[in-house]
Amino acid sequence: MIKRAVILLVLSSILVTLVWVRHQSTAPVNNISTESHVSSKYTTVEYKISKIKGKKYYGKGEDGEEIVFSAENIVSGENIQVDDVVICYFEKHNLGKGLVKVEEK
C-alpha cells in the first residue's frame, strides 16, 4: 500500500511540474516571412500572382512561399491579373484558420 502511495505521489508531482512548465513557456511564434506586415487585427503577407487557372489564383512570396486561393477570397470583385501583387489577410492569432481575404495592392 505504501509503495502505491509513493508511486502516485511521484507521478502526481511529475504531472504538476509538466503543467506548470507548459503554462510558463510561451507559445511558438509562427513567422510567415520577413516581409509580412502586422496590423491590429490581421497578419498580412504580400504575394505576386504567378498563374490563374479558372477561379484558382496561384501566388508566390518574395521568400519563395507559395499560396493558392479562390476568387471567393478576393474583396469587392477586384480584377487581379498575372504579375499583380496582392495582400493576403490572415487572422493574427489563428493562422491555421486560413485566408480571410485578398485585395490588390
Side-chain angles (χ1 to χ4, degrees), residues 31-32 51 55-56 70 73-74 82 85-86 93 99:
N31 188 8
I32 293 177
K51 178 172 64 169
K55 291 189 175 189
K56 296 284 186 184
S70 68
N73 295 106
I74 300 172
V82 175
V85 176
V86 296
H93 298 291
L99 187 62

Side-chain angles (χ1 to χ4, degrees), residues 28-87:
V29 176
N30 293 328
N31 188 8
I32 293 177
S33 73
T34 56
E35 297 297 319
S36 66
H37 307 285
V38 180
S39 67
S40 61
K41 191 172 180 183
Y42 300 109
T43 298
T44 60
V45 184
E46 293 182 11
Y47 293 96
K48 185 175 184 179
I49 300 299
S50 57
K51 178 172 64 169
I52 300 172
K53 198 175 200 180
K55 291 189 175 189
K56 296 284 186 184
Y57 292 79
Y58 298 81
K60 192 169 191 176
E62 289 183 6
D63 62 350
E65 186 175 326
E66 296 181 345
I67 190 169
V68 178
F69 59 90
S70 68
E72 297 168 356
N73 295 106
I74 300 172
V75 183
S76 65
E78 295 181 20
N79 189 17
I80 297 174
Q81 302 297 322
V82 175
D83 293 330
D84 285 349
V85 176
V86 296
I87 301 172

